[in-house]
Amino acid sequence: VRDSIGAEIHRRITSALGPGADSRTASALEMTFFGALVQAGSGAFTYHQIADRLTFVVTLMLHQGDS
């Protein structure tokens, strides 16, 4: 089950990034997503707080070269 979930998350992230996306970006986003799940699951943050934090971090990662 864990492998199926991981594969689906990978598929969704790479699909959202689109063709030609940098595999390092996809990997970093996957690690960020799974880390967020651990933090929310452990009670360190609520799922709503994690969603806000993910939005912030993903925006930083995807717009890192923008001026």
Side-chain angles (χ1 to χ4, degrees), residues 5-17 30:
I5 292 169
E8 181 62 17
I9 297 303
H10 176 78
R11 186 193 68 73
R12 289 181 184 212
I13 287 173
T14 56
S15 175
L17 289 172
E30 288 175 39

Side-chain angles (χ1 to χ4, degrees), residues 35-59:
L37 286 179
V38 169
Q39 287 188 322
S42 71
F45 298 97
T46 67
Y47 284 95
H48 288 335
Q49 289 170 319
I50 286 298
D52 291 340
R53 288 171 181 262
L54 274 174
T55 299
F56 175 74
V57 171
V58 169
T59 300

